[in-house]
Amino acid sequence: MKIALVGGTGDIGTGFAVRWAANHEIIIGSRKADKAKESAAAALALLGERGNVWGTDNGSAIAAAEVVVLCVPYEHLVSVTSDLKASYRDQLVISPVVPMSYNGKFFEFNHPAEGSAAMQAKSLLPGLQIVSAFHTICAAALQALHRELKADVFICGDEPDAIDLVAGLTQEIKSLRPLKAGPLAASALVESLTPMLLNVARRNKIKDAGITIVSER
Ligand SMILES: NC(=O)c1ccc[n+]([C@@H]2O[C@H](COP(=O)([O-])OP(=O)(O)OC[C@H]3O[C@@H](n4cnc5c(N)ncnc54)[C@H](OP(=O)(O)O)[C@@H]3O)[C@@H](O)[C@H]2O)c1
């Protein structure tokens, strides 16, 4: 697949690029095409020059892709969705975006008016399939190419085929397990796990924390 990483010059975007470049064409997007090209070269260096990664401006990256991952902080969700609407066609959009802030004592979830970042993306991009996933996956762990993450990815969405596609992308990353977490309207529950996870990690000195559901397997 052709996968655009909007704001893919950042932490989580770099992680997705190195994990998916062996099987897919990865298009790193940025506000500045030159910065995206530098990030693509850096990702290829991490991959030992094996993989298909290139960089361009966010709008061109979206236009060239079948799947778009929104790799920007929540504050910039509008600028990479509605402001770039002309670049979207019928792409599947994946949102790992977490609306949260640090209040000086702890990280807290900041409910958007629509309930979650994913529901806001849906209202900004009407008609497109939006799937919400990867919120509790640590970018540093993702970037460490050979590390087994041993974590679960909670996926919310309304279209079964789109959920299956994101579950497949999840399974391509070593030891990540995709778990269905409900319709897109349930995304706030998943997004709000991230500030909880960061509060626990910080207080208990847990590096690169993740979440997995335990059971008698
Ligand atoms: N980091 C994690 O461990 C992690 C884990 C799970 C989910 N997430 C979610 O993934 C998203 C990205 O996180 P991140 O840590 O990768 O973010 P980041 O590194 O802080 O930023 C990602 C990119 O956002 C772009 N950006 C910055 N200001 C912008 C603006 N004004 N307008 C448009 N784009 C702008 C920048 O790209 P250019 O300068 O190249 O345009 C930057 O490289 C967030 O929503 C976060 O909640 C992160």
Side-chain angles (χ1 to χ4, degrees):
M1 283 182 294
K2 292 173 192 278
I3 303 176
L5 305 173
V6 176
T9 53
D11 293 333
I12 196 101
T14 303
F16 288 134
V18 298
R19 293 286 183 158
W20 286 333
N23 297 338
H24 305 285
E25 181 176 337
I26 304 300
I27 311 157
I28 294 183
S30 168
R31 287 166 295 172
K32 295 191 175 123
D34 285 348
K35 185 178 172 187
K37 285 175 188 159
E38 281 168 23
S39 286
L44 276 172
L46 279 172
L47 290 162
E49 304 302 325
R50 283 187 301 275
N52 189 356
V53 188
W54 56 284
T56 184
D57 63 277
N58 281 329
S60 302
I62 294 164
E66 295 151 328
V67 174
V68 174
V69 190
L70 304 174
C71 301
V72 295
Y74 171 72
E75 297 71 39
H76 314 307
L77 183 64
V78 173
S79 67
V80 296
T81 52
S82 62
D83 291 0
L84 295 173
K85 214 177 229 170
S87 302
Y88 289 89
R89 198 174 54 250
D90 54 0
Q91 296 90 334
L92 167 65
V93 178
I94 302 175
S95 173
V97 176
V98 179
M100 67 175 192
S101 57
Y102 187 69
N103 65 16
K105 290 186 177 162
F106 59 90
F107 291 96
E108 58 185 352
F109 185 62
N110 305 130
H111 280 273
E114 294 81 357
S116 63
M119 289 301 283
Q120 188 174 350
K122 179 107 187 147
S123 76
L124 293 167
L125 295 170
L128 291 196
Q129 297 187 336
I130 314 285
V131 174
S132 163
F134 300 110
H135 310 88
T136 53
I137 301 304
C138 167
L142 211 52
Q143 288 177 19
L145 194 51
H146 299 293
R147 197 185 303 177
E148 288 198 33
L149 280 80
K150 293 189 184 127
D152 291 333
V153 169
F154 305 105
I155 304 175
C156 293
D158 295 330
E159 297 87 7
D161 288 351
I163 293 169
D164 287 348
L165 187 147
V166 177
L169 284 172
T170 303
Q171 283 171 321
E172 288 178 24
I173 301 172
K174 205 169 188 183
S175 298
L176 279 190
R177 180 174 65 164
L179 292 177
K180 293 172 189 165
L184 203 69
S187 184
L189 297 169
V190 176
E191 293 174 21
S192 63
L193 292 174
T194 302
M196 183 281 290
L197 182 61
L198 292 177
N199 291 328
V200 170
R202 181 175 273 204
R203 281 168 176 71
N204 297 278
K205 299 188 174 29
I206 301 170
K207 202 165 168 254
D208 299 349
I211 296 178
T212 187
I213 303 291
V214 296
S215 66
E216 287 185 43
R217 289 192 213 170

